[in-house]
Amino acid sequence: MERNEPVPTRPRKLVALHWLTVLCVVVAATLILLRDELDGRALRAWLLEGHRHAGLLVLLLFGVRVWLRIRYGKLQPGGDHSRIVRFAAGLTHVALYALLLALPLLGWAMCGAAGLDVHFFGFTLPALVGEDEDLADRLQAWHVDAAWALLVLVVLHLSAALWHHFVVRDHTLRMMLPARRR
C-alpha cells in the first residue's frame, strides 16, 4: 500500500457513532467492574445506575447506527480482500451488532424481572418483563455470558484491524479513525 494513496472513506456519522459506541461500552464495563471492587452502598448504587445509563446509550446508538446503515446502503469495501475474509468480517460485524442489541435488552429485562425500575436520564422506562426471580437469575447469567462474548468479539475485531494495518498494510483501520488526512 502506498501511503500517498487516498484512503477510502466511511461516512463521518458512522465513524463517530462507532467510536461513541466504543466509549459507551468501555464506560459500562468499567463502571460495573469498579462496582464489584468497591464498598459503600451509595457508591455501588451510583456505579450501577451509570452502568445502566451507558448500556441504554449503547441501545440508543445501536438504533441510530442501524438506521444510518440502512440509509447509506452497502458500504464499499476498504480493500481487495478474499471472499473468506469478507465473509468473516461480515459475520463478526453481525455478531457484534447482535450483542450490542442483546446486552442492553437483557440488562433492561433483568431489571424488570428483579422488580427494579430502569431510569434513563430522568425517565422511568417500562418493564420489558414481569417480576420473576428465576427469570431474573437466568437473564443475569445471559447478560454476563453475552458480555464475555462481546469481549471476545471486540478483541477479535481489534486484532483484525491491527492485522490489516501492520501485516496486510491496507486502509481498513485508517478508514475508521476519527481524524483522517485530506
Side-chain angles (χ1 to χ4, degrees):
M1 161 184 81
E2 291 290 323
R3 290 288 177 189
N4 295 333
E5 286 180 37
V7 176
T9 60
R10 288 286 182 256
R12 287 192 180 276
K13 290 176 185 172
L14 285 178
V15 173
L17 286 170
H18 173 272
W19 291 106
L20 200 53
T21 302
V22 169
L23 176 65
C24 288
V25 168
V26 168
V27 166
T30 301
L31 292 175
I32 206 65
L33 291 171
L34 270 175
R35 181 181 183 270
D36 290 343
E37 298 301 319
L38 298 175
D39 293 327
R41 186 175 182 175
L43 177 59
R44 288 173 54 82
W46 184 84
L47 291 169
L48 181 59
E49 196 62 28
H51 170 78
R52 289 178 184 149
H53 274 76
L56 289 168
L57 280 171
V58 168
L59 185 60
L60 183 66
L61 291 170
F62 172 85
V64 174
R65 288 178 74 171
V66 168
W67 176 77
L68 281 174
R69 285 299 302 263
I70 291 168
R71 184 172 165 236
Y72 288 123
K74 185 170 173 66
L75 299 175
Q76 192 171 352
D80 187 24
H81 305 297
S82 70
R83 185 174 285 174
I84 189 75
V85 169
R86 287 193 315 268
F87 176 77
L91 187 62
T92 301
H93 280 98
V94 167
L96 282 166
Y97 271 87
L99 287 169
L100 290 175
L101 174 63
L103 263 164
L105 289 176
L106 286 167
W108 186 357
M110 175 179 57
C111 288
L116 303 172
D117 287 333
V118 175
H119 304 284
F120 188 58
F121 294 108
F123 294 97
T124 301
L125 302 180
L128 295 180
V129 298
E131 201 168 331
D132 180 335
E133 191 175 315
D134 291 334
L135 178 60
D137 291 342
R138 282 196 309 276
L139 289 169
Q140 182 179 18
W142 294 344
H143 186 68
V144 170
D145 290 345
W148 281 110
L150 180 64
L151 177 63
V152 168
L153 286 177
V154 164
V155 168
L156 177 66
H157 185 67
L158 180 59
S159 299
L162 293 173
W163 178 75
H164 275 280
H165 190 71
F166 292 111
V167 177
V168 178
R169 301 183 62 80
D170 65 12
H171 299 295
T172 301
L173 177 62
R174 292 193 302 150
M175 284 189 313
M176 291 307 295
L177 294 177
R180 295 188 292 262
R181 274 190 263 152
R182 298 216 180 253

